[in-house]
Amino acid sequence: MGIRRDLFAGEVLYRQGEPSDCAWLIEQGAIELASVQGRRTIQHGVLGPGELIGELSMLDGAPRSATATARVDTVLLAVEHDQFLERLEGSDPIVRTLVDSLRRRMRALMAALPEDAALPAEDVAIDDPEERSGIGKIRLESQLREALDSGTLEVRYQPIHDMHAHAVRSYEALVRWQLPGRGPVSPAEFIKLAEETSLIVPVGEYVLDRVVEVLVALRDQGVSPLPSIAVNLSARQLVEPGMARQVVQRVQRAGLPEGALKLEVTESRMLDYAPVAAVMRHCREHGIPFALDDFGTGYSNLTHLHKLDFEFVKVDQAFCRQMFDGPRAMAIVEAIVAMAHGIGAQVIVEGVETREQLEALGRLGVRHAQGYLIGQAAPVHEVLSGEAARGLERVAAG
Ligand code: C2E
Ligand code: CA
Ligand code: CA
């Protein structure tokens, strides 16, 4: 079943009595619901854009209680059973009990109605902004699933300058999603949404597959030394059962050298150290190093550095931005760099936008710089043609 459905006026979406496995979100057009009770046909009304249909059947798997027909040309998005149940199972037990009790009561009420009574449509118009934003999320999640299936997520590569080698020797893979009618959606928005369910797992696998493909292509072109490419993983992805094994398998199957693939751990919640440490150990044994991302902000803290062995520390871009605000700001950057070096990690500073920043970082002994000065995240063909690696030369020439 496709995730998006286009119906002509008069076409039937589903019939009364059919089994159901998903609900539908109306994107455009209108759907009429009608059921046959004895000899009578009862109209339950017409639903329009932004409304859900069939959600009750989706919840309990009971057959469709009415027939849904497109009134005009209509576009729908499927809200799959699993997609919803996963959220329900992950929700507060009280909310779960409440939903279940309401569902049973609704079914009991419907069963107790006289044969010819008009059944209430399962669906009501939504005016509440909170519910609207829920619908927005359902839509985004369905569209993201579709993007994964159709391969329309793009992975871009931001170059990282190595000050010892005076060249770009690594990249960070950053995912981009071009949403028709909405323009590019920031990963800051959809990664968070994907992380709320296991959808983050296929997103991560998708990015990983693209990155391995690029590394293989570069190797086949004879590029030497092979750059390393970092993939972002949230701790939730990292501890997903089988994740570490899959990452290692992909690298081994492609025959990539040690260090070609790097993992960046981005943290939005508190880390549970033991499972993360186990995964890191397994990957490291197979030549996959780790970077602690966004160091110095949010949940990325000193305890992480204490409990886990990172080969790289990525200093959050806020520090680079504020470096020249005064001696205190500079002293903090200096201290972070000294500390990272003290535990044997290399430092990558993010958000480097000016020559002055780059030179100051060089004086502090920072080895790796990433930011718009070196280059923005570039499409894959620029990496493969070597164009994306010519960051600073371009700046020097301009
Ligand atoms: P991040 O890992 O901290 O990535 C760096 C972000 O800073 C990127 O934003 C990048 O475009 C931006 N940036 C780089 N250089 C500069 C600069 O010089 N100045 C400024 N102002 N910004 C700069 P982007 O691509 O929007 O990514 C946002 C976040 O989304 C990433 O933050 C990362 O946490 C997450 N993300 C991106 N791709 C993936 C992915 O494949 N998987 C996961 N789990 N998360 C991802
Ligand atoms: Ca990152
Ligand atoms: Ca970062």
Side-chain angles (χ1 to χ4, degrees):
M1 180 187 59
I3 281 183
R4 193 187 133 114
R5 263 305 280 277
D6 291 77
L7 295 179
F8 296 118
E11 213 177 327
V12 171
L13 176 65
Y14 55 73
R15 288 181 199 282
Q16 184 179 356
E18 279 179 4
S20 56
D21 56 354
C22 70
W24 296 94
L25 177 65
I26 304 173
E27 286 284 76
Q28 283 169 43
I31 292 282
E32 187 172 62
L33 290 169
S35 63
V36 176
Q37 315 275 320
R39 289 204 204 129
R40 292 180 50 201
T41 298
I42 297 156
Q43 306 293 338
H44 300 294
V46 177
L47 296 164
E51 286 177 308
L52 272 177
I53 55 169
E55 75 278 19
L56 193 55
S57 304
M58 175 187 71
L59 270 180
D60 61 10
R64 301 290 189 192
S65 57
T67 296
T69 312
R71 261 272 182 96
V72 292
D73 289 357
T74 298
V75 181
L76 302 124
L77 269 182
V79 181
E80 279 163 287
H81 180 252
D82 294 352
Q83 181 182 348
F84 186 80
L85 283 201
E86 195 182 1
R87 280 186 180 273
L88 192 61
E89 273 155 24
S91 71
D92 187 294
I94 297 174
V95 174
R96 229 155 49 212
T97 310
L98 209 62
V99 170
D100 205 46
S101 139
L102 284 171
R103 178 189 60 75
R104 270 187 276 121
R105 190 164 316 161
M106 181 97 170
R107 286 296 185 206
L109 274 172
M110 285 161 79
L113 286 172
E115 275 280 286
D116 60 350
L119 284 175
E122 278 183 12
D123 328 272
V124 283
I126 296 161
D127 293 323
D128 180 38
E130 191 122 316
E131 247 178 273
R132 281 250 162 253
S133 92
I135 294 278
K137 269 177 134 181
I138 291 176
R139 173 182 298 126
L140 210 59
E141 196 175 322
S142 290
Q143 287 168 325
L144 182 55
R145 279 170 196 270
E146 192 178 38
L148 269 174
D149 290 345
S150 59
T152 51
L153 283 184
E154 189 194 352
V155 180
R156 294 206 164 201
Y157 300 85
Q158 187 172 28
I160 300 172
H161 184 74
D162 180 335
M163 297 205 225
H164 290 184
H166 303 288
V168 168
R169 281 289 161 79
S170 54
Y171 297 89
E172 175 177 2
L174 293 163
V175 68
R176 293 278 176 276
W177 181 19
Q178 294 289 337
L179 192 55
R182 226 196 107 172
V185 182
S186 151
E189 184 178 346
F190 71 85
I191 291 290
K192 199 163 135 271
L193 178 79
E195 273 180 359
E196 289 174 10
T197 65
S198 56
L199 194 53
I200 191 66
V201 175
V203 171
E205 287 171 356
Y206 180 90
V207 175
L208 207 57
D209 283 339
R210 300 292 83 71
V211 168
V212 170
E213 278 166 18
V214 173
L215 285 165
V216 166
L218 287 169
R219 184 193 58 198
D220 293 350
Q221 282 176 14
V223 172
S224 177
L226 203 58
S228 87
I229 303 184
V231 168
N232 286 284
L233 288 182
S234 62
R236 144 127 212 199
Q237 283 173 275
L238 207 59
V239 297
E240 196 68 39
M243 183 69 188
R245 208 178 45 243
Q246 279 189 36
V247 172
V248 167
Q249 256 176 14
R250 277 172 162 83
V251 168
Q252 285 184 330
R253 215 179 300 140
L256 294 174
E258 291 206 349
L261 178 74
K262 222 158 74 185
L263 297 177
E264 285 187 14
V265 185
T266 36
E267 199 29 49
S268 49
R269 280 165 295 183
M270 244 354 245
L271 275 179
D272 191 2
Y273 293 106
V276 174
V279 167
M280 285 176 66
R281 207 174 313 118
H282 180 71
C283 289
R284 184 171 295 116
E285 278 163 13
H286 293 88
I288 302 169
F290 279 82
L292 177 60
D293 205 356
D294 301 337
F295 183 72
T297 60
Y299 289 110
S300 191
N301 61 36
L302 288 177
T303 314
H304 291 16
L305 282 187
H306 175 206
K307 302 254 184 193
L308 303 166
D309 264 340
F310 287 96
E311 280 87 353
F312 296 88
V313 172
K314 294 195 80 170
V315 180
D316 191 80
Q317 48 177 273
F319 292 98
C320 186
R321 203 177 310 132
Q322 294 157 10
M323 205 165 40
F324 295 121
D325 284 1
R328 291 166 69 97
M330 185 63 89
I332 289 175
V333 178
E334 205 172 340
I336 294 177
V337 172
M339 185 184 57
H341 287 163
I343 57 167
Q346 296 189 37
V347 176
I348 304 167
V349 174
E350 298 189 89
V352 180
E353 295 184 354
T354 67
R355 277 244 162 231
E356 294 67 46
Q357 290 169 340
L358 185 76
E359 281 157 14
L361 293 169
R363 285 193 296 274
L364 294 181
V366 171
R367 178 157 178 192
H368 309 276
Q370 177 179 1
Y372 296 162
L373 177 72
I374 322 300
Q376 301 220 6
V380 62
H381 66 83
E382 288 190 15
V383 176
L384 293 177
S385 66
E387 216 177 310
R390 285 190 282 273
L392 277 181
E393 294 163 35
R394 198 167 44 230
V395 175

